[in-house]
Amino acid sequence: MTKLVAPSILSANFNNLGKDIEMINHSDADWIHFDVMDGVFVPNISFGLPVIQHVSQIARKPLDVHLMIVNPDPYIVPFCKAGASILTVHYETCRHLHRTVRHIKEQGAKASVCLNPHTPVSLLEDIIGELDMVLLMSVNPGFGGQKFIENTYKKVRQLREMIDAIHPECLIEVDGGVNFDTGKKLYEAGANVLVAGNFVFTSDQPEETIRKLKNI
Ligand code: DX5
Ligand code: ZN
């Protein structure tokens, strides 16, 4: 089973972002996770295109961009041009999800759909065949460092069953409150990609923490 780790730079040191990107470049991390927030879909504003564009010039790992924004369609091309390899939109923000997913793939990026903690996995049944990845939120989106929501394990198991039956290549990513304990249980439940922000960047040895997360 594929096991990947994607550190979220939401918890990085923005006074010296280049240093944290270099740390990720040298580490066992597979991707770099970017949390783009608009202050409308989520109650926080983070960063956007210029940051991703700059990081893409020094990053040696694929950029995994998580759009927490209403009306993502006009931004698909700009984020792909800025360097996104994997682009995630929220189910809750897309009126024509199938069209949005096709649009992402036409740009040559991997298409991923995210579900908030209250949104059931079953709603993806008729789109899962088109997806490269599903991102399950294990906290309410908007902030790093929140407490993991236990119901996520059940959702991972349900999604694993659906994916194995319909489209086994589709990856399951989980985002929020990931640490060695929750991460181990998530991999066991069938998750493939762990996003970790606070846990990595508050650690004394972030590189070692990334290495251990991959091998729990
Ligand atoms: C929350 C974000 C997460 C966050 C990770 O809105 O989507 O990616 O940075 O959360 P922690 O800090 O819990 O790992
Ligand atoms: Zn995220």
Side-chain angles (χ1 to χ4, degrees):
M1 179 91 79
T2 311
K3 280 163 101 182
L4 309 177
V5 171
S8 165
I9 62 145
L10 188 62
S11 299
N13 176 7
F14 291 110
N15 280 334
N16 200 346
L17 185 55
K19 188 165 169 253
D20 283 342
I21 300 300
E22 281 307 325
M23 180 279 291
I24 296 174
N25 279 343
H26 288 128
S27 76
D28 286 348
D30 298 280
W31 301 342
I32 308 178
H33 188 84
F34 292 81
D35 289 303
V36 177
M37 304 180 185
D38 66 354
V40 180
F41 177 58
V42 289
N44 195 10
I45 299 175
S46 56
F47 50 77
L49 287 161
V51 170
I52 292 172
Q53 233 156 30
H54 277 83
V55 171
S56 75
Q57 292 166 11
I58 58 167
R60 295 201 302 272
K61 313 266 176 173
L63 309 190
D64 173 33
V65 178
H66 176 191
L67 296 182
M68 283 163 272
I69 63 175
V70 294
N71 191 25
D73 296 278
Y75 300 100
I76 289 171
V77 171
F79 276 103
C80 289
K81 283 199 172 139
S85 293
I86 305 112
L87 195 58
T88 296
V89 292
H90 266 258
Y91 178 90
E92 299 83 8
T93 63
C94 295
R95 192 164 289 173
H96 300 284
L97 185 60
H98 188 274
R99 180 179 288 148
T100 303
V101 165
R102 285 274 169 97
H103 192 193
I104 295 172
K105 290 166 109 177
E106 279 163 17
Q107 309 315 309
K110 302 274 186 212
S112 159
V113 171
C114 184
L115 301 182
N116 270 340
H118 73 277
T119 305
V121 161
S122 57
L123 290 171
L124 294 178
E125 198 176 331
D126 290 298
I127 189 89
I128 199 84
E130 301 270 342
L131 301 182
D132 295 299
M133 187 168 84
V134 175
L135 171 52
L136 294 178
M137 287 310 303
S138 40
V139 298
N140 284 296
F143 304 94
Q146 301 182 80
K147 193 177 175 307
F148 184 86
I149 297 171
E150 297 282 322
N151 189 55
T152 311
Y153 300 122
K154 182 196 82 182
K155 291 179 79 174
V156 174
R157 286 194 295 272
Q158 287 174 340
L159 184 58
R160 171 51 55 205
E161 207 171 299
M162 185 194 290
I163 283 175
D164 284 350
I166 303 177
H167 184 209
E169 293 78 24
C170 182
L171 297 174
I172 301 175
E173 183 176 51
V174 184
D175 189 357
V178 167
N179 54 36
F180 294 142
D181 174 45
T182 55
K184 187 171 169 38
K185 292 182 193 154
L186 287 167
Y187 279 145
E188 282 166 4
N192 303 111
V193 191
L194 300 181
V195 175
N198 195 58
F199 189 60
V200 165
F201 287 101
T202 60
S203 136
D204 290 340
Q205 293 174 299
E207 259 193 77
E208 181 64 3
T209 302
I210 291 168
R211 195 185 61 76
K212 282 190 185 156
L213 260 182
K214 261 191 83 98
N215 296 292
I216 45 179

